[in-house]
Amino acid sequence: MNVETITTPGGIDLAFDRIVGGDTGTVILVGGAFSYRKFPKMVELAQKLADEYGLTIVNYDRRGRGDSTDSPGVYDVENEIDDLAALVEAVGGKAAIFGWSSGAGLALLAAASRRIPGITKVVAFEPPFITNHENFVPPADLAATLHEMIAADRRADVVRYYMANAMGMPRLFAAIMRLTPFWKGLLATAPATAHDWAIMGPYMRGETLRPDDWASVEVPTLVISGGKSGALLRTAARAIADVLPNARHEEVTKLSHNPNIELLAPVSGEFLVGAERFAA
């Protein structure tokens, strides 16, 4: 597989892999915090959707990850929507969007922007909205602290800080990640967490989601949560599905935020190809 690249009107080089499975449609995969196109589960999901559902999958590096370039110090969700618009245009002008975690937030905001008329469907897997104060709410100064760490290239600190303070992971878990094989990838993508926060920060304050903010997401949307995920993510999935005008929510038993692709792919693929159970 040869990597493809485009340069967006904003001057960002985006790298992506295209996996051609058939003629049932094109789907762009949008990863979340610390994710990139070579992340093993993104690769596995791409291949499975192509092989089993005849979809053409575009798996790209968001800005600041993998082989894509970045805009250091400039963190604005509108820029990532522009990136996605350029990518949709480059792969044929029409595509469904599958987003995971903050990537799901980006997919929904892109659809809400109405700046990408080529979006045909959205699959949002566990967007991490925080709609109450029952579990965890990030600190109010998170953006300032995060930007300071990134500017100083304190990557290990960024990983630990973002995991504990933006994602709500136990601090011990964040600390022991440096002992795992994933640590190198976490350090490489750490600066891009500022983009994730630009997307999700306004919706992680413990406030109820407002229907007016999402009324323009008119494309068919599937919100997926896992039965093994924490209460925060399961609540978030129900909350966003409730305010979207054309959405349904599916909770998959035994699925978690670190998903088993054998469980995630079928519900996603069936929705994307218009299987009968999603026709109503």
Side-chain angles (χ1 to χ4, degrees):
M1 183 186 304
N2 294 322
V3 61
E4 300 181 56
T5 61
I6 63 166
T7 300
T8 72
I12 295 294
D13 295 330
L14 296 179
F16 62 96
D17 297 322
R18 190 185 325 228
I19 304 94
V20 179
D23 59 2
T24 57
T26 298
V27 182
I28 297 174
L29 303 187
V30 187
F34 302 109
S35 183
Y36 51 101
R37 81 179 198 283
K38 294 299 185 183
F39 186 71
K41 293 205 172 183
M42 294 293 282
V43 173
E44 183 184 355
L45 177 62
Q47 197 65 57
K48 199 165 189 67
L49 290 176
D51 290 345
E52 298 187 10
Y53 297 93
L55 293 158
T56 292
I57 307 300
V58 176
N59 185 14
Y60 82 112
D61 284 324
R62 286 170 52 194
R63 62 171 62 196
R65 306 156 196 256
D67 295 313
S68 293
T69 58
D70 202 2
S71 51
V74 179
Y75 310 114
D76 188 332
V77 64
E78 299 300 322
N79 292 331
E80 286 219 80
I81 293 173
D82 289 342
D83 293 348
L84 200 48
L87 191 56
V88 170
E89 185 63 27
V91 300
K94 288 189 176 182
I97 311 295
F98 173 99
W100 176 354
S101 195
S102 60
L106 175 56
L108 291 168
L109 288 167
S113 75
R114 290 183 170 170
R115 301 209 320 263
I116 315 178
I119 293 178
T120 58
K121 291 183 178 181
V122 172
V123 177
F125 173 49
E126 296 196 332
F129 298 106
I130 297 180
T131 60
N132 57 49
H133 289 258
E134 294 177 6
N135 297 287
F136 161 78
V137 177
D141 65 348
L142 190 144
T145 303
L146 181 66
H147 295 175
E148 179 182 343
M149 289 179 176
I150 291 170
D153 202 28
R154 293 162 50 195
R155 296 190 179 212
D157 290 339
V158 169
V159 174
R160 289 189 291 265
Y161 182 79
Y162 198 86
M163 285 186 168
N165 293 279
M167 301 172 73
M169 291 184 179
R171 293 182 184 278
L172 179 60
F173 179 86
I176 65 175
M177 286 302 294
R178 69 182 308 140
L179 305 176
T180 73
F182 303 108
W183 185 246
K184 183 178 179 181
L186 294 172
L187 292 179
T189 56
T193 55
H195 297 299
D196 296 291
W197 187 249
I199 294 164
M200 294 307 309
Y203 306 101
M204 299 180 76
R205 297 170 176 163
E207 300 172 357
T208 302
L209 296 176
R210 298 178 300 183
D212 287 352
D213 291 342
W214 306 98
S216 54
V217 185
E218 297 174 347
V219 297
T221 300
L222 176 66
V223 182
I224 303 173
S225 60
K228 291 179 66 176
S229 294
L232 186 151
L233 290 169
R234 288 184 283 112
T235 297
R238 289 192 295 270
I240 187 62
D242 284 346
V243 299
L244 291 170
N246 189 12
R248 64 184 291 171
H249 170 225
E250 294 263 340
E251 186 159 295
V252 180
T253 305
K254 298 183 180 180
L255 186 68
S256 72
H257 199 63
N258 179 24
N260 179 339
I261 301 302
E262 294 289 338
L263 300 175
L264 179 59
V267 64
S268 303
E270 289 176 17
F271 174 76
L272 289 164
V273 299
E276 184 176 352
R277 76 185 184 98
F278 290 108

